[in-house]
Amino acid sequence: MMAAITAAENGASAALLEPKERLGKKLNITGKGRCNLTNNCSEAELLQNVPQNGRFLYSAFSQLNSQDVMAFFENLGVPLKTERGNRVFPVSDRAFDISGALERRLKALGVEIRKDRAEELLLSGDRLTGVMGAAARYTAPCAVVATGGLSYPLTGSTGDGYRLAASVGHTIVPTRGSLVPLVEEGSACAALQGLSLRNVRLYVYEDGKEIFSDFGEMLFTHYGVSGPLVLSASAHMRHFHQKTYLLRIDLKPALDEQTLDRRLLADFEKHLNSDFINALGELLPQKLIPVYIERSGVPPRCKVHSITREQRRELVHLLKHFTIPIRGPRGVEEAIVTSGGVRTAEVNPSTMESKLIHGLYFAGEVLDVDAYTGGFNLQIAWSTGFVAGQHAAWSAEG
Protein backbone atom coordinates (compact mmCIF):
# COMPACT_ATOMS: atom_id res chain seq x y z
CA MET A 1 0.00 0.00 0.00
CA MET A 2 2.79 2.45 0.85
CA ALA A 3 4.64 1.59 -2.38
CA ALA A 4 1.48 2.06 -4.50
CA ILE A 5 0.58 5.36 -2.79
CA THR A 6 4.10 6.74 -3.20
CA ALA A 7 4.28 5.65 -6.86
CA ALA A 8 0.95 7.35 -7.57
CA GLU A 9 1.98 10.51 -5.67
CA ASN A 10 5.02 10.64 -7.96
CA GLY A 11 2.92 10.58 -11.10
CA ALA A 12 2.88 6.90 -11.96
CA SER A 13 -0.18 4.92 -13.00
CA ALA A 14 -0.25 2.20 -10.34
CA ALA A 15 -2.15 -1.04 -9.75
CA LEU A 16 -2.09 -3.09 -6.58
CA LEU A 17 -2.59 -6.88 -6.76
CA GLU A 18 -4.08 -8.34 -3.57
CA PRO A 19 -5.25 -11.98 -3.47
CA LYS A 20 -7.11 -11.66 -0.15
CA GLU A 21 -10.66 -10.31 0.17
CA ARG A 22 -9.44 -7.05 1.76
CA LEU A 23 -6.28 -4.97 2.05
CA GLY A 24 -4.11 -4.87 5.16
CA LYS A 25 -5.15 -8.11 6.86
CA LYS A 26 -1.82 -8.54 8.61
CA LEU A 27 -1.62 -4.85 9.46
CA ASN A 28 -4.98 -5.13 11.23
CA ILE A 29 -3.71 -7.77 13.68
CA THR A 30 -0.44 -6.03 14.58
CA GLY A 31 0.00 -4.80 18.13
CA LYS A 32 -2.92 -6.99 19.30
CA GLY A 33 -5.18 -5.08 16.93
CA ARG A 34 -3.87 -1.67 18.05
CA CYS A 35 -1.13 -1.34 15.37
CA ASN A 36 2.26 -0.29 16.77
CA LEU A 37 3.03 1.51 13.50
CA THR A 38 6.51 2.88 14.27
CA ASN A 39 8.90 3.88 17.04
CA ASN A 40 9.31 7.57 17.90
CA CYS A 41 13.11 7.63 17.84
CA SER A 42 16.10 8.79 15.80
CA GLU A 43 17.33 7.13 12.60
CA ALA A 44 20.38 5.86 14.52
CA GLU A 45 18.10 4.18 17.08
CA LEU A 46 16.02 2.65 14.28
CA LEU A 47 19.17 1.06 12.86
CA GLN A 48 20.25 -0.19 16.30
CA ASN A 49 17.01 -2.15 16.53
CA VAL A 50 17.52 -4.05 13.25
CA PRO A 51 19.87 -6.95 14.04
CA GLN A 52 19.63 -8.47 10.57
CA ASN A 53 21.28 -6.34 7.84
CA GLY A 54 20.51 -3.04 9.55
CA ARG A 55 23.13 -1.14 7.51
CA PHE A 56 21.22 -2.00 4.33
CA LEU A 57 18.38 0.23 5.61
CA TYR A 58 20.51 3.32 6.27
CA SER A 59 19.42 5.02 3.04
CA ALA A 60 15.77 3.92 3.32
CA PHE A 61 15.48 5.30 6.87
CA SER A 62 17.11 8.57 5.78
CA GLN A 63 14.53 8.91 2.97
CA LEU A 64 11.55 8.14 5.28
CA ASN A 65 12.19 8.09 9.02
CA SER A 66 9.77 7.56 11.90
CA GLN A 67 8.93 11.28 12.16
CA ASP A 68 8.00 11.24 8.46
CA VAL A 69 5.76 8.20 9.01
CA MET A 70 3.99 9.87 11.91
CA ALA A 71 3.43 13.04 9.85
CA PHE A 72 2.19 10.93 6.92
CA PHE A 73 -0.56 9.25 8.96
CA GLU A 74 -1.54 12.38 10.87
CA ASN A 75 -1.92 14.16 7.51
CA LEU A 76 -4.25 11.31 6.50
CA GLY A 77 -6.41 12.16 9.53
CA VAL A 78 -5.17 9.56 12.03
CA PRO A 79 -4.12 11.14 15.40
CA LEU A 80 -1.21 9.26 17.00
CA LYS A 81 0.20 8.80 20.51
CA THR A 82 3.57 7.64 21.86
CA GLU A 83 3.61 5.07 24.69
CA ARG A 84 6.23 3.25 26.77
CA GLY A 85 9.36 2.37 24.83
CA ASN A 86 8.54 5.12 22.27
CA ARG A 87 5.97 2.82 20.65
CA VAL A 88 3.55 4.77 18.42
CA PHE A 89 -0.14 3.84 18.16
CA PRO A 90 -3.27 5.49 16.76
CA VAL A 91 -5.04 7.41 19.55
CA SER A 92 -8.10 5.23 18.85
CA ASP A 93 -6.10 2.01 19.52
CA ARG A 94 -7.62 0.67 16.27
CA ALA A 95 -5.35 -0.86 13.62
CA PHE A 96 -8.29 -0.53 11.20
CA ASP A 97 -7.81 3.26 11.30
CA ILE A 98 -4.32 2.82 9.82
CA SER A 99 -5.35 0.38 7.08
CA GLY A 100 -8.49 2.42 6.39
CA ALA A 101 -6.47 5.62 5.93
CA LEU A 102 -4.16 3.85 3.47
CA GLU A 103 -7.10 2.44 1.54
CA ARG A 104 -8.78 5.85 1.27
CA ARG A 105 -5.53 7.40 0.03
CA LEU A 106 -5.13 4.66 -2.60
CA LYS A 107 -8.63 5.36 -3.89
CA ALA A 108 -8.16 9.14 -3.84
CA LEU A 109 -5.03 8.72 -5.99
CA GLY A 110 -6.82 6.45 -8.44
CA VAL A 111 -4.69 3.37 -7.71
CA GLU A 112 -6.37 0.35 -9.29
CA ILE A 113 -6.89 -2.44 -6.74
CA ARG A 114 -7.19 -5.85 -8.38
CA LYS A 115 -8.16 -9.03 -6.48
CA ASP A 116 -5.47 -11.21 -8.06
CA ARG A 117 -2.35 -13.17 -7.15
CA ALA A 118 0.94 -12.50 -8.93
CA GLU A 119 2.14 -15.82 -10.35
CA GLU A 120 5.05 -14.88 -12.61
CA LEU A 121 7.39 -11.98 -13.34
CA LEU A 122 7.57 -11.30 -17.09
CA LEU A 123 11.00 -10.40 -18.48
CA SER A 124 12.70 -9.37 -21.68
CA GLY A 125 16.35 -10.21 -21.08
CA ASP A 126 17.27 -8.57 -17.77
CA ARG A 127 14.37 -6.10 -17.85
CA LEU A 128 10.94 -6.50 -16.30
CA THR A 129 8.04 -6.12 -18.75
CA GLY A 130 5.09 -7.06 -16.59
CA VAL A 131 3.44 -9.50 -14.20
CA MET A 132 1.31 -12.52 -14.94
CA GLY A 133 -1.52 -12.85 -12.45
CA ALA A 134 -3.89 -15.75 -11.87
CA ALA A 135 -6.68 -13.71 -13.47
CA ALA A 136 -4.93 -11.40 -15.94
CA ARG A 137 -1.67 -10.25 -17.50
CA TYR A 138 -0.32 -6.83 -16.45
CA THR A 139 2.11 -4.98 -18.70
CA ALA A 140 4.36 -2.59 -16.75
CA PRO A 141 7.92 -1.25 -16.83
CA CYS A 142 8.26 -1.67 -13.06
CA ALA A 143 6.89 -3.88 -10.30
CA VAL A 144 7.35 -3.83 -6.53
CA VAL A 145 7.31 -7.21 -4.77
CA ALA A 146 5.89 -6.48 -1.29
CA THR A 147 4.32 -9.81 -0.40
CA GLY A 148 5.52 -10.17 3.20
CA GLY A 149 7.21 -13.28 4.56
CA LEU A 150 5.85 -16.59 5.82
CA SER A 151 4.40 -15.61 9.20
CA TYR A 152 0.61 -15.59 9.66
CA PRO A 153 -0.06 -17.31 6.29
CA LEU A 154 -3.84 -16.85 6.63
CA THR A 155 -3.28 -13.11 6.12
CA GLY A 156 -1.70 -13.80 2.72
CA SER A 157 1.98 -14.17 3.68
CA THR A 158 2.52 -17.48 1.92
CA GLY A 159 6.06 -17.02 0.62
CA ASP A 160 5.01 -15.96 -2.92
CA GLY A 161 7.63 -13.21 -2.97
CA TYR A 162 10.47 -15.65 -2.34
CA ARG A 163 9.29 -17.85 -5.20
CA LEU A 164 8.96 -14.90 -7.59
CA ALA A 165 12.40 -13.52 -6.66
CA ALA A 166 14.08 -16.93 -6.97
CA SER A 167 12.46 -17.50 -10.37
CA VAL A 168 14.43 -14.56 -11.83
CA GLY A 169 17.75 -15.50 -10.23
CA HIS A 170 17.67 -13.96 -6.76
CA THR A 171 19.23 -15.75 -3.79
CA ILE A 172 16.82 -16.47 -0.93
CA VAL A 173 18.49 -16.56 2.48
CA PRO A 174 16.87 -19.50 4.38
CA THR A 175 13.80 -18.32 6.28
CA ARG A 176 12.83 -18.85 9.92
CA GLY A 177 10.58 -17.22 12.45
CA SER A 178 11.67 -14.23 14.51
CA LEU A 179 9.72 -12.67 17.37
CA VAL A 180 8.41 -16.15 17.99
CA PRO A 181 7.42 -18.28 21.04
CA LEU A 182 10.03 -20.74 22.34
CA VAL A 183 9.90 -24.49 22.99
CA GLU A 184 11.43 -25.72 26.25
CA GLU A 185 13.76 -28.67 26.67
CA GLY A 186 11.84 -30.63 29.31
CA SER A 187 8.36 -30.35 30.81
CA ALA A 188 8.49 -27.73 33.59
CA CYS A 189 6.59 -25.14 31.53
CA ALA A 190 3.77 -27.56 30.74
CA ALA A 191 3.02 -27.74 34.48
CA LEU A 192 2.83 -23.92 34.53
CA GLN A 193 0.64 -23.59 31.43
CA GLY A 194 -1.46 -20.42 31.50
CA LEU A 195 0.63 -18.68 34.19
CA SER A 196 1.53 -15.09 33.29
CA LEU A 197 4.45 -13.41 35.07
CA ARG A 198 4.60 -9.62 35.23
CA ASN A 199 7.48 -7.38 36.28
CA VAL A 200 10.14 -10.07 35.89
CA ARG A 201 13.56 -9.79 34.27
CA LEU A 202 14.48 -12.30 31.58
CA TYR A 203 18.05 -13.18 30.60
CA VAL A 204 19.13 -15.17 27.54
CA TYR A 205 22.36 -17.17 27.51
CA GLU A 206 23.97 -18.46 24.32
CA ASP A 207 26.52 -21.18 25.06
CA GLY A 208 26.69 -19.81 28.61
CA LYS A 209 27.22 -16.17 27.63
CA GLU A 210 24.54 -13.57 28.38
CA ILE A 211 23.31 -12.01 25.11
CA PHE A 212 20.05 -10.32 26.11
CA SER A 213 18.06 -9.13 29.10
CA ASP A 214 14.84 -7.17 29.47
CA PHE A 215 12.11 -6.43 31.99
CA GLY A 216 8.40 -7.08 31.49
CA GLU A 217 5.80 -9.80 31.05
CA MET A 218 5.90 -13.42 29.86
CA LEU A 219 3.59 -16.41 29.63
CA PHE A 220 4.02 -20.16 30.20
CA THR A 221 2.43 -22.47 27.63
CA HIS A 222 2.04 -26.22 27.10
CA TYR A 223 5.17 -26.21 24.88
CA GLY A 224 7.34 -23.56 26.58
CA VAL A 225 7.14 -19.79 26.88
CA SER A 226 5.63 -16.83 25.03
CA GLY A 227 4.61 -13.24 25.74
CA PRO A 228 6.27 -9.88 25.00
CA LEU A 229 9.57 -10.58 26.82
CA VAL A 230 10.03 -13.94 25.10
CA LEU A 231 9.19 -12.63 21.61
CA SER A 232 11.82 -9.90 22.03
CA ALA A 233 14.35 -12.43 23.33
CA SER A 234 13.79 -14.77 20.39
CA ALA A 235 15.08 -12.16 17.93
CA HIS A 236 18.53 -12.57 19.54
CA MET A 237 18.48 -16.39 19.35
CA ARG A 238 19.59 -17.03 15.77
CA HIS A 239 21.77 -20.17 15.86
CA PHE A 240 19.70 -23.03 17.28
CA HIS A 241 21.39 -25.55 14.98
CA GLN A 242 24.86 -24.55 16.29
CA LYS A 243 24.46 -23.26 19.84
CA THR A 244 22.58 -23.95 23.06
CA TYR A 245 20.22 -21.46 24.70
CA LEU A 246 19.10 -21.02 28.29
CA LEU A 247 16.58 -18.58 29.74
CA ARG A 248 16.98 -17.28 33.28
CA ILE A 249 14.07 -15.58 35.00
CA ASP A 250 14.66 -13.20 37.90
CA LEU A 251 11.30 -13.52 39.66
CA LYS A 252 12.06 -10.63 42.04
CA PRO A 253 14.18 -8.13 40.07
CA ALA A 254 13.41 -5.23 42.44
CA LEU A 255 15.15 -6.99 45.36
CA ASP A 256 18.83 -7.93 45.72
CA GLU A 257 19.67 -11.26 47.36
CA GLN A 258 20.19 -9.82 50.88
CA THR A 259 16.87 -7.94 50.80
CA LEU A 260 15.16 -11.01 49.40
CA ASP A 261 16.63 -13.15 52.18
CA ARG A 262 15.18 -10.73 54.78
CA ARG A 263 11.82 -10.88 53.02
CA LEU A 264 11.92 -14.69 53.04
CA LEU A 265 12.80 -14.70 56.76
CA ALA A 266 9.88 -12.38 57.51
CA ASP A 267 7.50 -14.67 55.62
CA PHE A 268 8.89 -17.72 57.43
CA GLU A 269 8.41 -16.00 60.82
CA LYS A 270 4.68 -15.91 60.09
CA HIS A 271 4.62 -19.64 59.24
CA LEU A 272 7.18 -21.17 61.63
CA ASN A 273 5.07 -24.26 62.38
CA SER A 274 3.57 -24.60 58.89
CA ASP A 275 4.61 -26.96 56.13
CA PHE A 276 7.01 -25.33 53.64
CA ILE A 277 4.46 -25.68 50.80
CA ASN A 278 2.02 -23.48 52.75
CA ALA A 279 4.51 -20.68 53.47
CA LEU A 280 5.08 -19.29 49.99
CA GLY A 281 1.68 -17.84 49.09
CA GLU A 282 2.73 -14.21 49.58
CA LEU A 283 5.95 -14.67 47.63
CA LEU A 284 4.94 -16.61 44.52
CA PRO A 285 1.89 -17.27 42.32
CA GLN A 286 0.09 -20.40 43.51
CA LYS A 287 0.72 -22.28 40.26
CA LEU A 288 4.47 -21.73 40.49
CA ILE A 289 4.89 -22.99 44.06
CA PRO A 290 5.00 -26.79 43.36
CA VAL A 291 7.59 -26.39 40.57
CA TYR A 292 9.64 -23.99 42.71
CA ILE A 293 9.61 -26.41 45.65
CA GLU A 294 10.58 -29.35 43.45
CA ARG A 295 13.58 -27.40 42.14
CA SER A 296 14.60 -26.22 45.61
CA GLY A 297 15.12 -29.75 46.93
CA VAL A 298 13.35 -28.83 50.20
CA PRO A 299 10.62 -31.39 50.98
CA PRO A 300 7.17 -29.78 50.62
CA ARG A 301 6.06 -31.05 54.05
CA CYS A 302 9.22 -29.90 55.81
CA LYS A 303 8.34 -27.61 58.74
CA VAL A 304 9.40 -24.03 58.08
CA HIS A 305 11.26 -23.73 61.42
CA SER A 306 13.56 -26.59 60.39
CA ILE A 307 14.73 -25.02 57.10
CA THR A 308 18.49 -24.36 57.36
CA ARG A 309 20.36 -21.21 56.40
CA GLU A 310 21.96 -23.07 53.47
CA GLN A 311 18.53 -24.19 52.23
CA ARG A 312 17.24 -20.63 52.57
CA ARG A 313 20.23 -19.33 50.59
CA GLU A 314 19.36 -21.81 47.81
CA LEU A 315 15.72 -20.67 47.90
CA VAL A 316 16.82 -17.05 47.42
CA HIS A 317 19.16 -18.06 44.59
CA LEU A 318 16.33 -19.91 42.86
CA LEU A 319 14.09 -16.84 43.00
CA LYS A 320 16.76 -14.94 41.08
CA HIS A 321 17.80 -17.85 38.82
CA PHE A 322 14.73 -19.76 37.61
CA THR A 323 16.10 -21.38 34.45
CA ILE A 324 14.49 -22.88 31.34
CA PRO A 325 16.62 -24.67 28.72
CA ILE A 326 15.32 -23.96 25.21
CA ARG A 327 15.12 -26.56 22.44
CA GLY A 328 14.15 -24.16 19.66
CA PRO A 329 11.53 -21.76 18.30
CA ARG A 330 7.94 -22.54 17.35
CA GLY A 331 7.16 -22.70 13.64
CA VAL A 332 7.44 -19.68 11.35
CA GLU A 333 3.63 -19.62 11.00
CA GLU A 334 3.48 -18.51 14.67
CA ALA A 335 6.18 -15.86 14.28
CA ILE A 336 5.40 -12.15 14.14
CA VAL A 337 8.02 -11.67 11.42
CA THR A 338 10.11 -13.81 9.09
CA SER A 339 13.89 -13.67 9.21
CA GLY A 340 15.64 -14.45 5.94
CA GLY A 341 14.43 -13.67 2.42
CA VAL A 342 15.78 -11.90 -0.66
CA ARG A 343 19.53 -11.40 -0.22
CA THR A 344 20.18 -7.70 0.41
CA ALA A 345 23.50 -7.72 -1.50
CA GLU A 346 21.41 -8.24 -4.66
CA VAL A 347 19.25 -5.13 -4.04
CA ASN A 348 20.25 -1.47 -4.36
CA PRO A 349 19.78 -0.01 -0.84
CA SER A 350 19.16 3.53 -2.16
CA THR A 351 16.31 2.54 -4.53
CA MET A 352 15.22 -1.01 -3.51
CA GLU A 353 15.71 -2.03 -7.16
CA SER A 354 17.03 -5.48 -8.00
CA LYS A 355 20.64 -5.47 -9.15
CA LEU A 356 19.77 -8.40 -11.43
CA ILE A 357 16.54 -7.26 -13.12
CA HIS A 358 15.87 -3.66 -14.19
CA GLY A 359 12.43 -2.48 -13.11
CA LEU A 360 12.04 -5.05 -10.29
CA TYR A 361 11.84 -3.64 -6.75
CA PHE A 362 11.43 -5.19 -3.31
CA ALA A 363 9.90 -3.83 -0.09
CA GLY A 364 9.24 -5.05 3.44
CA GLU A 365 9.50 -8.49 4.96
CA VAL A 366 10.32 -10.27 1.68
CA LEU A 367 13.83 -8.81 2.11
CA ASP A 368 16.37 -10.38 4.47
CA VAL A 369 15.86 -7.72 7.16
CA ASP A 370 14.05 -8.03 10.48
CA ALA A 371 13.94 -6.04 13.68
CA TYR A 372 13.03 -6.21 17.35
CA THR A 373 9.53 -5.48 18.68
CA GLY A 374 8.45 -1.89 19.20
CA GLY A 375 7.23 -0.74 15.77
CA PHE A 376 10.55 -1.26 14.00
CA ASN A 377 9.37 -3.93 11.56
CA LEU A 378 6.49 -1.76 10.35
CA GLN A 379 8.91 1.17 10.01
CA ILE A 380 10.97 -1.06 7.68
CA ALA A 381 7.80 -1.72 5.66
CA TRP A 382 6.93 1.99 5.37
CA SER A 383 10.49 3.08 4.52
CA THR A 384 11.26 0.39 1.95
CA GLY A 385 7.77 0.68 0.44
CA PHE A 386 8.20 4.45 0.09
CA VAL A 387 11.66 4.13 -1.50
CA ALA A 388 10.60 1.34 -3.87
CA GLY A 389 7.42 3.16 -4.94
CA GLN A 390 9.18 6.47 -5.49
CA HIS A 391 12.07 5.07 -7.49
CA ALA A 392 9.81 2.78 -9.52
CA ALA A 393 7.74 5.82 -10.48
CA TRP A 394 10.81 7.84 -11.42
CA SER A 395 12.19 4.91 -13.42
CA ALA A 396 8.88 4.45 -15.26
CA GLU A 397 8.94 8.15 -16.20
CA GLY A 398 12.52 7.89 -17.47
Side-chain angles (χ1 to χ4, degrees):
M1 287 191 280
M2 177 61 92
I5 287 168
T6 308
E9 286 178 342
N10 282 272
S13 172
L16 191 157
L17 306 188
E18 170 58 70
K20 303 304 283 187
E21 66 277 8
R22 65 167 298 158
L23 297 172
K25 283 197 76 172
K26 184 183 279 190
L27 188 61
N28 290 334
I29 63 170
T30 60
K32 297 180 180 174
R34 297 175 62 218
C35 192
N36 177 195
L37 68 148
T38 188
N39 193 280
N40 189 359
C41 67
S42 68
E43 289 166 34
E45 288 171 303
L46 288 177
L47 290 166
Q48 287 165 11
N49 281 277
V50 185
Q52 188 69 6
N53 295 321
R55 286 179 63 190
F56 171 79
L57 295 167
Y58 181 88
S59 177
F61 285 158
S62 68
Q63 292 180 64
L64 189 89
N65 61 30
S66 55
Q67 310 308 311
D68 298 326
V69 168
M70 292 166 69
F72 173 83
F73 282 104
E74 293 197 314
N75 287 337
L76 292 183
V78 184
L80 303 176
K81 61 183 176 180
T82 301
E83 296 188 356
R84 182 180 59 83
N86 293 326
R87 290 167 162 84
V88 179
F89 295 88
V91 169
S92 65
D93 286 330
R94 282 173 42 88
F96 285 101
D97 290 353
I98 298 297
S99 60
L102 291 168
E103 198 161 351
R104 286 191 299 276
R105 185 62 178 153
L106 286 165
K107 288 175 179 171
L109 289 165
V111 174
E112 188 182 354
I113 299 168
R114 296 292 296 266
K115 189 175 187 301
D116 200 355
R117 180 183 294 278
E119 294 198 332
E120 184 185 352
L121 299 173
L122 304 175
L123 308 181
S124 175
D126 65 352
R127 186 169 293 279
L128 185 116
T129 59
V131 176
M132 180 63 75
R137 179 190 184 103
Y138 306 88
T139 301
C142 299
V144 180
V145 175
T147 53
L150 286 167
S151 55
Y152 297 112
L154 292 177
T155 65
S157 297
T158 53
D160 283 3
Y162 306 137
R163 179 180 53 76
L164 291 169
S167 74
V168 296
H170 274 282
T171 306
I172 305 302
V173 176
T175 56
R176 61 171 189 82
S178 185
L179 307 181
V180 64
L182 299 171
V183 180
E184 70 169 322
E185 188 71 66
S187 57
C189 295
L192 299 171
Q193 180 180 351
L195 174 64
S196 178
L197 296 179
R198 294 168 188 255
N199 304 319
V200 296
R201 180 163 285 278
L202 181 70
Y203 298 84
V204 177
Y205 295 88
E206 181 182 78
D207 286 349
K209 179 184 175 184
E210 183 187 320
I211 59 167
F212 172 81
S213 95
D214 200 4
F215 177 85
E217 183 178 344
M218 61 179 291
L219 173 73
F220 290 97
T221 68
H222 65 282
Y223 54 77
V225 283
S226 187
L229 266 184
V230 171
L231 298 181
S232 295
S234 74
H236 299 259
M237 303 162 74
R238 296 178 170 265
H239 308 287
F240 283 104
H241 57 296
Q242 296 171 325
K243 303 189 176 184
T244 59
Y245 291 94
L246 179 77
L247 302 184
R248 170 167 76 89
I249 306 167
D250 183 345
L251 296 164
K252 300 292 176 183
L255 305 177
D256 61 26
E257 294 209 1
Q258 283 113 332
T259 309
L260 198 49
D261 188 44
R262 289 196 294 273
R263 162 74 194 274
L264 200 58
L265 267 174
D267 281 4
F268 282 0
E269 284 291 326
K270 299 178 197 171
H271 300 278
L272 278 178
N273 296 311
S274 302
D275 292 345
F276 176 45
I277 195 170
N278 297 323
L280 298 169
E282 294 174 40
L283 192 68
L284 293 170
Q286 203 60 41
K287 203 163 194 176
L288 186 56
I289 290 172
V291 177
Y292 175 77
I293 287 176
E294 184 182 350
R295 290 193 175 193
S296 75
V298 178
R301 295 299 168 190
C302 171
K303 296 298 181 188
V304 168
H305 62 74
S306 65
I307 292 175
T308 66
R309 182 182 297 174
E310 289 72 26
Q311 286 174 318
R312 201 176 71 241
R313 188 177 295 127
E314 178 56 36
L315 292 172
V316 168
H317 181 80
L318 188 55
L319 288 169
K320 306 288 281 184
H321 297 79
F322 191 91
T323 59
I324 303 168
I326 297 299
R327 182 189 309 160
R330 292 285 277 182
V332 68
E333 66 280 355
E334 293 184 42
I336 291 177
V337 296
T338 309
S339 184
V342 176
R343 190 175 174 221
T344 55
E346 298 170 358
V347 179
N348 183 329
S350 299
T351 64
M352 295 297 138
E353 185 176 22
S354 165
K355 292 179 180 179
L356 311 181
I357 306 296
H358 295 297
L360 176 61
Y361 296 78
F362 297 99
E365 201 176 338
V366 73
L367 290 159
D368 181 25
V369 287
D370 63 275
Y372 302 139
T373 55
F376 302 105
N377 287 290
L378 274 180
Q379 179 65 43
I380 292 172
W382 309 130
S383 294
T384 56
F386 173 86
V387 171
Q390 184 178 70
H391 286 275
W394 291 351
S395 173
E397 273 183 11

